[in-house]
Amino acid sequence: MSHDRDDLPDRHAPELPAPRGPLSAGVLALLRGEVPPPGPEGADAADPYGDDLQLALYCCYELHYRGFAGVDPAMEWDPGLLTVRRAMERRFLAALRRDVPVHDDLRSAVKELLTEPAEGTSVTWFLRDEGELRHLREYAALRSVYHLKEADPHAWVLPRLWGRAKAAMVSVEFDEFGGGRAERVHAKLFADLMADLGLDTSYGRYLGPSPAPALAVVNLMSLLGLHRALRGALVGHFAAVEITSSPGSRRLAEAMRRTGAGPAAEFFYDEHVEADAVHEQVVRHEVIGGLLEEEPYLEGDVVFGMDATVFLEDRLADHVMACWRANGTALRAPLPDTVAAAA
Ligand SMILES: [Fe+2]
Ligand SMILES: [Fe+2]
């Protein structure tokens, strides 16, 4: 059943972004109710990591989160849209299966995740040592496409887990969702960080300026979260995030302190230094341990989820550092200086 969208408050739903090619133009037109769905053959011709496919896929997935202003909520299960989404997912997954160097076993994959990158080789090192406020603002803007829905895609795995894995996953998600306190929900803490940095905290505000590598990172989470068949990879993805978060968050907290970004900006990352050191242990030993005790044949999928996450994060880091080293913007357009200037 559809509603008259004009009568509903779209306070939490973002505006539709501008298309970035024929595939995203077709999907966006369908969301606006204008045309029949684009054929799946459009997905087969698109760059699996490129702006057109990644934006189109992101828009399909967003219907499962908050949707878009003016778009009928019933589009979430529109068969035509699901058909083109499936074609895009197949193209994206096939590229990852082809391109991601996958470890032979879980032990070696985890060992590599636990090894810190060499100093100076990652975005967080750069931000800690040399980052200016403009870099921190850009970093927060492009991370906001995930952090304003932090932990949401992982909640989809809960009905697909049992026993130890389920109990442990819920305990980590409970922390991510604020432990019962709305003001401590991690997505809210990130909005507070954005406010300190003079960014617009509206959900989805920076979807348009976000480059394809940033969208691909979030699309991987949505893809793995929405498909029960990929539950092992979702758990692997979550483990990769939690294992690498604590040291990275420490560097980002230092960057926020050094640049005087503000107390909420520091707090978001300070909170993750503490919380994710615990989450890492719980995810490794209880979530993965519990899942593989129940379903040992999923080990390869867990490893694939870890390695695909690292692969896409590395692509994003390469993009960001190349832009910043060339003194340019890592976004598709530079940010205005402040929210007031944007208004
Ligand atoms: Fe978090
Ligand atoms: Fe966490």
Side-chain angles (χ1 to χ4, degrees):
M1 185 185 75
S2 66
H3 298 274
D4 180 352
R5 300 297 298 155
D6 293 340
D7 294 341
L8 296 174
D10 280 333
R11 188 162 65 88
H12 299 297
E15 298 294 323
L16 283 172
R20 302 186 193 176
L23 190 55
S24 52
V27 166
L28 287 161
L30 179 61
L31 292 180
R32 288 192 297 264
E34 290 172 3
V35 292
E41 60 283 353
D44 295 337
D47 173 357
Y49 305 112
D51 271 305
D52 194 22
L53 184 143
Q54 291 297 331
L55 180 71
L57 188 54
Y58 190 99
C59 290
C60 291
Y61 287 148
E62 190 54 46
L63 300 176
H64 298 289
Y65 296 100
R66 296 202 200 179
F68 290 99
V71 172
D72 187 340
M75 286 302 294
E76 181 180 2
W77 299 109
D78 180 86
L81 194 65
L82 291 175
T83 300
V84 69
R85 186 188 102 188
R86 192 68 193 124
M88 292 190 283
E89 289 176 327
R90 287 210 172 102
R91 180 107 175 111
F92 185 32
L93 252 185
L96 291 172
R97 298 259 186 223
R98 179 191 67 210
D99 299 336
V100 173
V102 179
H103 285 83
D104 291 336
D105 56 33
L106 182 63
R107 181 189 290 264
S108 58
V110 170
K111 188 174 171 206
E112 187 162 325
L113 285 174
L114 288 168
T115 308
E116 276 275 75
E119 190 152 347
T121 60
S122 82
V123 175
T124 55
W125 289 109
F126 173 84
L127 289 173
R128 187 194 71 172
D129 297 337
E130 305 172 47
E132 301 167 13
L133 267 175
R134 73 178 181 94
H135 298 118
L136 292 170
R137 296 179 79 239
E138 286 202 354
Y139 185 76
L142 63 78
R143 285 294 187 186
S144 70
V145 288
Y146 169 60
H147 280 303
L148 290 180
K149 55 176 167 239
E150 187 171 326
D152 284 349
H154 309 102
W156 282 318
V157 84
L158 294 175
R160 292 106 189 236
L161 301 177
W162 299 267
R164 278 169 64 205
K166 188 197 252 325
M169 190 74 192
V170 168
S171 77
V172 175
E173 288 282 85
F174 183 67
D175 282 354
E176 303 291 346
F177 294 132
R181 294 167 59 187
E183 74 279 10
R184 295 294 292 258
V185 174
H186 285 190
K188 165 73 168 101
L189 298 181
F190 196 79
D192 296 342
L193 168 150
M194 294 176 76
D196 265 3
L197 290 169
L199 295 168
D200 186 337
T201 63
S202 309
Y203 181 90
R205 163 65 184 77
Y206 297 104
L207 170 58
S210 288
L215 300 184
V217 165
V218 189
N219 282 339
L220 177 70
M221 305 181 199
S222 302
L223 168 67
L224 302 182
L226 283 166
H227 290 266
R228 187 176 64 83
L230 296 170
R231 63 196 177 284
L234 186 281
V235 165
H237 155 76
F238 195 50
V241 170
E242 296 293 343
I243 290 171
T244 55
S245 167
S246 191
S249 295
R250 179 172 286 111
R251 290 189 283 276
L252 290 166
E254 288 177 32
M256 297 298 173
R257 261 186 281 285
R258 183 177 55 72
T259 55
E266 292 177 24
F267 184 73
F268 178 82
Y269 289 112
D270 281 337
E271 173 75 4
H272 281 82
V273 174
E274 296 285 320
D276 288 342
V278 177
H279 293 171
E280 175 205 321
Q281 295 295 319
V282 176
V283 175
R284 278 173 60 196
H285 299 296
E286 295 302 311
V287 181
I288 295 180
L291 175 70
L292 295 184
E293 194 175 77
E294 294 268 351
E295 301 188 276
Y297 45 85
L298 291 181
E299 178 176 340
D301 286 357
V302 173
V303 174
F304 172 71
M306 287 179 172
D307 289 331
T309 302
V310 171
F311 175 79
L312 290 177
E313 285 286 352
D314 285 350
R315 287 184 84 257
L316 173 59
D318 289 347
H319 166 83
V320 169
M321 290 312 305
C323 295
W324 286 349
R325 293 288 185 206
N327 226 6
T329 174
L331 300 170
R332 300 181 78 244
L335 290 170
D337 286 342
T338 61
V339 174

